[in-house]
């Protein structure tokens, strides 16, 4: 049995954070579960490194785009390693083999009559790398905004190649009808059906305004649209076009795990592309909700786009993994709350789970010389505990197989409550006091077996904790499904290791949130960092509006030793003639960049509050070129 699972490939325009880690952790849990169940698993993740947004991010740092991508891709790789993610491959869209595969895939679409040349006229969102029609963008007066990220879109007119997406509307609707579980959750499926029922328009799949991407095989002036490039990673990574045996083993994918904001690309565009080249569609696309942190959208400006390793350092990797699945209903939007995480740690993990194991091993140490006792005659409470386990085990399989991960943990913790009830109701401390050694041994054996079963079921979610439980009960086999199928796997006479509690509680009165402590540290710069920025005074000599732009003004400024051209987005706040003669402050050592085709050789500084923007200047007159420090 094979199982091929993918995460989205992550955009390298910024550092990874707890939000980007969420999908990968969930995928890792599913991959580990499938391996536990005996599947041959291929788990793919990686980075999306082409497109205008990545190019702009690289330019802002003054780095070559490939070097910029190399550095960020390595950060993602290192993060997954430290989070103990068990991916089988890490793909990068700048990999040579992937780029060749993209060219061949699109060439095949073209050969099949599904790609044609035309002129694209419409709106484009650079942050989302998405084209939008006039009836799709959000309108506020004369402004147009992306319906996904609510940031301004720009009007684009350029010669492009188009994919005949409209051709596949009926075939997609038929597939949705014949495979009702193709997209989950069901409310995400309904969103896609609404789009399909409204009709599809052909999709622009190339750009000519920049070169950072995969060139068309037979028309290299055209760069393949970043989303088309990115989606093809799911087949390029497993051998499409270069290793037929490997590809046939793994395709189709069993699960594309994604965030809801990219559902349309995966559930409409990608299936249509696959139909175009004659490949089977993936078995399932699961679009989970968004993650916020302490009720706020994850954002650098809010200081909560925190490297997940800080949370892991504070609370432990398994605790973070458990919390993300148990407290955030998988599939829906959820909030990462540190108060809730600490509550789950103290209550679910330390009290319910860890304390039960601690009590059991303490009594075995005391009354059975640290050796697992042999169970004797079964009584009513013993039968009840076993019955409760087998019902839990069956529900666990069903829930995990249908990706109801939160509900699966809920059922496991119901069984933990059953095990605690069994332990408390049978009163092993009373049995010990009364000298009923045989019955005491049975109760302690069954209690320990129950905890062992919990460790097996939570192995995909909390692998380190489960391995520690296995060590403490002297279980040295490779854990797999068969160990859940029978009661009585633990061997009597083997040693138990009674040690520190599995989980250490957090003092809720004194603990400090990671968000409050780390966000400040992450945003601090050193005096050396500041010294790299060359701030200078400059006198504005000339100013004029940039044609066809509502926001941009082109300035000629005097820096004392030279004159420079700067393009600034201040046209909505200043008339060009009002700027001439002003002494402003500019970043003089910023790498030049083009705005609307005009080179800007620096950046002026301004302060903005709400709808008000004011240029930064100096108190009184001063010579142009004076250093600001």
């Amino acid at each position: 049995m094979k199982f091929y699972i993918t995460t989205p490939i992550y955009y390298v325009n910024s550092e990874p954070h707890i939000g980007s880690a969420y999908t990968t952790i969930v995928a890792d849990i599913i991959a580990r579960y499938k391996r536990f169940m005996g599947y041959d698993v291929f788990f793919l993740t990686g980075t999306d490194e082409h497109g205008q947004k990545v190019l702009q991010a690289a330019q802002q740092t003054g780095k070559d785009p490939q070097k910029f991508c190399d550095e960020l891709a390595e950060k993602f790789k290192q993060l997954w390693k430290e989070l103990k993610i068990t991916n089988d491959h890490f793909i990068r869209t700048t990999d040579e083999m992937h780029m060749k595969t993209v060219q061949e895939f699109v060439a095949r679409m073209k050969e099949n009559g599904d790609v044609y040349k035309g002129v694209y006229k419409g709106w484009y969102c650079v942050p989302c790398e998405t084209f939008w029609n006039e009836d799709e963008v959000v309108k506020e007066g004369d402004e147009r905004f992306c319906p996904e990220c609510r940031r301004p879109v720009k009007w684009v007119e350029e010669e492009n190649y188009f994919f005949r997406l409209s051709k596949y509307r009926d075939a997609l609707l038929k597939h949705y009808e014949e495979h009702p579980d193709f997209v989950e959750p069901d409310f995400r499926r309904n969103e896609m059906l609404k789009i399909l029922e409204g009709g599809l328009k052909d999709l622009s799949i190339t750009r000519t305004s920049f070169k950072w991407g995969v060139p068309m095989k037979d028309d290299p002036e055209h760069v393949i649209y970043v989303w088309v490039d990115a989606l093809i990673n799911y087949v390029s990574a497993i051998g499409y076009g270069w290793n037929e045996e490997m590809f046939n083993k793994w395709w189709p994918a069993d699960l594309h795990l994604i965030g809801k904001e990219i559902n349309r690309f995966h559930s409409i565009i990608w299936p249509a592309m696959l139909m175009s080249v004659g490949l089977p569609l993936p078995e399932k696309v699961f679009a989970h909700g968004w993650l916020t942190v302490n009720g706020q959208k994850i954002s650098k400006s809010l200081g909560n786009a925190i490297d997940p390793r800080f949370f892991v350092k504070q609370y432990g990797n398994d605790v973070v993994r458990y919390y993300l699945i148990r407290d955030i209903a998988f599939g829906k939007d959820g909030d990462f709350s540190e108060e809730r995480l600490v509550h789950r740690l103290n209550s679910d993990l330390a009290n319910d789970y860890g304390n039960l194991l601690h009590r059991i091993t303490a009594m075995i140490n005391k009354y059975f010389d640290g050796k697992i006792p042999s169970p004797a005659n079964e009584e009513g409470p013993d039968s009840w505990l076993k019955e409760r386990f087998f019902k839990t085990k069956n529900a666990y399989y069903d829930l995990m197989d249908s990706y109801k991960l939160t509900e699966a943990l809920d059922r496991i913790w119901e069984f933990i409550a059953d095990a605690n009830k069994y332990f408390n109701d049978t009163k092993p401390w009373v049995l010990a006091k009364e000298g009923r050694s045989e019955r005491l041994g049975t109760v302690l054996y069954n209690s320990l077996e129950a905890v062992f079963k919990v460790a097996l079921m939570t192995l995909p979610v909390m692998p380190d904790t489960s391995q520690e439980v296995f060590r403490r009960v002297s279980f040295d086999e490779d854990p797999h499904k068969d160990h859940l199928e029978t009661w009585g796997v633990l061997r009597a006479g083997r040693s138990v290791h009674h040690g520190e509690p599995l989980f250490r509680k957090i003092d809720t009165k004194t603990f400090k949130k990671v968000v409050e402590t780390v966000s400040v540290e992450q945003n601090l710069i050193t005096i050396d960092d500041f010294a790299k920025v060359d701030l200078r005074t400059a006198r504005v000599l000339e100013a004029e509006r940039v044609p066809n732009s509502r926001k941009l003004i082109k300035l000629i400024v005097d820096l004392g030793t030279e004159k420079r051209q700067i393009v600034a987005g201040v046209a909505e706040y200043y008339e060009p003639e009002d700027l001439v003669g002003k002494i402003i402050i500019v970043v003089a050592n910023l790498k030049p960049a083009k705005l609307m085709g005009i080179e800007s050789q620096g950046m002026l500084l301004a302060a903005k509050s709400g709808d008000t923007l004011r240029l930064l200047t100096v108190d009184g007159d001063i010579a142009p070129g004076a250093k600001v420090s």
Side-chain angles (χ1 to χ4, degrees):
M1 299 184 295
K2 70 91 179 174
F3 188 81
Y4 177 29
I5 180 173
T6 70
T7 72
I9 50 175
Y10 299 103
Y11 226 28
V12 294
N13 64 315
S14 62
E15 304 264 348
H17 52 66
I18 190 67
S20 49
Y22 175 61
T23 310
T24 312
I25 289 170
V26 170
D28 184 65
I29 288 168
I30 295 171
R32 287 175 183 265
Y33 168 73
K34 289 296 182 179
R35 294 188 195 105
F36 176 80
M37 297 297 286
Y39 284 78
D40 188 7
V41 173
F42 193 90
F43 171 17
L44 176 69
T45 188
T47 44
D48 184 0
E49 302 179 14
H50 288 135
Q52 190 173 4
K53 185 164 62 171
V54 170
L55 178 61
Q56 289 180 351
Q59 289 172 337
Q60 287 169 6
T61 63
K63 294 177 181 176
D64 171 78
Q66 186 63 62
K67 185 175 187 297
F68 176 80
C69 291
D70 290 344
E71 290 175 359
L72 272 168
E74 193 56 42
K75 289 184 179 182
F76 276 93
K77 285 183 178 181
Q78 187 60 33
L79 175 61
W80 300 157
K81 182 178 179 180
E82 292 183 34
L83 294 183
K84 302 183 180 179
I85 303 299
T86 58
N87 56 294
D88 297 285
H89 184 54
F90 186 100
I91 189 168
R92 299 178 57 189
T93 56
T94 54
D95 291 341
E96 184 178 351
M97 186 58 72
H98 169 77
M99 293 176 68
K100 287 181 179 179
T101 303
V102 170
Q103 289 180 319
E104 294 300 327
F105 193 106
V106 173
R108 189 165 298 182
M109 292 167 64
K110 189 179 179 185
E111 289 168 8
N112 293 339
D114 287 337
V115 174
Y116 63 93
K117 187 179 282 189
V119 176
Y120 176 77
K121 295 181 180 180
W123 299 102
Y124 187 71
C125 175
V126 174
C128 292
E129 299 276 15
T130 306
F131 295 99
W132 297 107
N133 297 313
E134 176 66 24
D135 59 351
E136 294 174 316
V137 295
V138 177
K139 304 176 183 68
E140 294 181 10
D142 293 334
E143 299 281 353
R144 299 292 186 272
F145 298 92
C146 173
E148 288 289 347
C149 72
R150 302 289 169 165
R151 283 174 281 198
V153 292
K154 68 175 186 176
W155 183 260
V156 174
E157 290 188 28
E158 61 183 40
E159 183 184 70
N160 289 167
Y161 281 93
F162 288 79
F163 169 45
R164 297 185 194 277
L165 182 62
S166 58
K167 171 182 172 181
Y168 291 97
R169 172 186 175 270
D170 292 345
L172 287 168
L173 279 170
K174 184 181 179 189
H175 187 81
Y176 273 73
E177 182 181 341
E178 294 176 351
H179 303 85
D181 296 331
F182 174 56
V183 177
E184 288 192 357
D186 56 357
F187 51 90
R188 302 282 175 232
R189 174 181 180 270
N190 293 337
E191 291 169 357
M192 296 303 102
L193 279 173
K194 188 175 180 180
I195 292 173
L196 287 169
E197 289 163 358
L200 297 177
K201 295 183 179 180
D202 291 353
L203 178 71
S204 171
I205 63 165
T206 64
R207 303 294 307 277
T208 55
S209 57
F210 61 91
K211 298 300 180 185
W212 183 243
V214 180
M216 283 277 285
K217 185 177 180 182
D218 57 352
D219 195 349
E221 290 302 308
H222 286 257
V223 169
I224 294 169
Y225 177 37
V226 63
W227 264 108
V228 172
D229 170 6
L231 289 165
I232 295 170
N233 96 89
Y234 300 129
V235 295
S236 70
I238 55 169
Y240 180 74
W242 58 274
N243 188 329
E244 185 176 356
E245 181 180 356
M246 180 182 181
F247 180 73
N248 290 335
K249 174 182 178 179
W250 294 112
W251 192 258
D254 295 276
L255 178 62
H256 286 325
L257 190 61
I258 61 169
K260 67 177 184 180
E261 73 279 5
I262 55 175
N263 194 14
R264 184 171 66 100
F265 295 101
H266 286 79
S267 299
I268 294 178
I269 296 172
W270 177 228
M273 289 168 58
L274 291 167
M275 289 177 177
S276 176
V277 299
L279 289 178
L281 272 55
E283 297 294 329
K284 187 181 297 293
V285 177
F286 196 108
H288 65 72
W290 283 337
L291 196 65
T292 56
V293 172
N294 295 321
Q296 293 181 307
K297 180 182 177 181
I298 298 175
S299 165
K300 282 186 177 180
S301 61
L302 292 175
N304 63 2
I306 295 174
D307 187 322
R309 281 169 287 207
F310 287 106
F311 292 108
V312 169
K313 182 180 179 181
Q314 177 78 0
Y315 304 112
N317 193 40
D318 281 6
V319 173
V320 172
R321 288 168 66 100
Y322 171 79
Y323 168 75
L324 286 171
I325 303 305
R326 182 74 195 279
D327 213 61
I328 299 170
F330 182 58
K332 299 180 180 179
D333 291 346
D335 182 55
F336 186 99
S337 161
E338 283 191 73
E339 288 93 344
R340 293 288 304 162
L341 184 151
V342 170
H343 171 75
R344 289 289 187 188
L345 167 57
N346 288 346
S347 178
D348 301 3
L349 299 178
N351 283 352
D352 298 344
Y353 183 15
N355 190 48
L356 177 60
L357 175 64
H358 201 71
R359 294 166 73 192
I360 296 165
T361 55
M363 292 197 73
I364 292 175
N365 257 10
K366 184 174 182 179
Y367 297 107
F368 293 93
D369 296 324
K371 306 294 183 183
I372 299 175
S374 298
N377 296 330
E378 188 171 292
E379 297 185 9
D382 311 326
S383 302
W384 175 83
L385 181 64
K386 294 177 186 178
E387 180 184 344
R388 294 293 293 174
F389 163 69
F390 285 111
K391 285 183 178 179
T392 299
K393 181 259 298 182
N394 292 333
Y396 170 76
Y397 290 158
D398 291 342
L399 292 167
M400 290 293 288
D401 288 339
S402 56
Y403 311 122
K404 295 178 180 177
L405 309 184
T406 304
E407 291 94 327
L409 283 182
D410 289 343
R411 285 303 299 264
I412 294 171
W413 253 255
E414 288 176 13
F415 178 67
I416 290 176
D418 293 335
N420 274 290
K421 175 177 169 56
Y422 170 83
F423 189 84
N424 292 330
D425 287 355
T426 54
K427 297 181 173 62
W429 54 92
V430 174
L431 297 174
K433 187 176 181 179
E434 294 175 348
R436 298 172 59 188
S437 179
E438 186 176 89
R439 180 60 187 155
L440 174 63
T442 299
V443 167
L444 293 177
Y445 180 88
N446 285 331
S447 298
L448 196 63
E449 179 78 10
V451 171
F452 170 66
K453 293 297 198 257
V454 169
L456 288 170
M457 291 187 288
T458 57
L459 179 62
V461 180
M462 297 190 291
D464 291 345
T465 301
S466 293
Q467 290 296 339
E468 176 59 17
V469 173
F470 299 155
R471 186 191 70 81
R472 293 191 186 195
V473 300
S474 293
F475 176 75
D476 53 11
E477 299 177 39
D478 184 23
H480 53 77
K481 178 185 177 183
D482 291 350
H483 296 124
L484 282 177
E485 293 302 312
T486 58
W487 187 271
V489 174
L490 294 180
R491 298 181 189 178
R494 287 204 166 188
S495 298
V496 296
H497 304 280
H498 178 68
E500 294 292 318
L502 275 180
F503 304 96
R504 288 200 169 276
K505 286 187 175 183
I506 300 287
D507 186 339
T508 57
K509 294 180 180 179
T510 61
F511 97 102
K512 292 183 178 179
K513 290 182 184 178
V514 169
V515 169
E516 293 174 352
T517 56
V518 174
S519 61
V520 174
E521 295 174 19
Q522 284 189 326
N523 290 326
L524 292 176
I525 64 172
T526 67
I527 190 66
D528 292 333
D529 294 328
F530 180 75
K532 294 176 184 177
V533 183
D534 185 14
L535 299 176
R536 301 277 175 173
T537 59
R539 187 182 300 277
V540 179
L541 302 176
E542 301 173 26
E544 62 179 70
R545 290 185 178 274
V546 173
N548 301 317
S549 173
R550 290 177 291 102
K551 295 182 177 181
L552 298 180
I553 290 179
K554 183 177 72 173
L555 308 173
I556 302 298
V557 301
D558 178 10
L559 275 170
T561 58
E562 62 176 312
K563 294 179 182 179
R564 286 206 197 168
Q565 175 176 281
I566 293 177
V567 181
V570 297
E572 295 175 300
Y573 307 96
Y574 289 91
E575 293 298 327
E577 57 269 24
D578 295 335
L579 297 174
V580 176
K582 284 186 178 291
I583 295 290
I584 61 174
I585 298 172
V586 301
V587 181
N589 62 339
L590 189 67
K591 185 176 180 180
K594 284 191 175 182
L595 300 174
M596 296 284 288
I598 302 172
E599 185 172 78
S600 181
Q601 301 161 339
M603 179 177 70
L604 61 78
L605 299 186
K608 187 177 182 183
S609 176
D611 296 328
T612 302
L613 180 140
R614 294 289 181 266
L615 297 179
L616 268 63
T617 183
V618 292
D619 182 20
D621 198 22
I622 194 168
K627 187 171 179 60
V628 178
S629 60

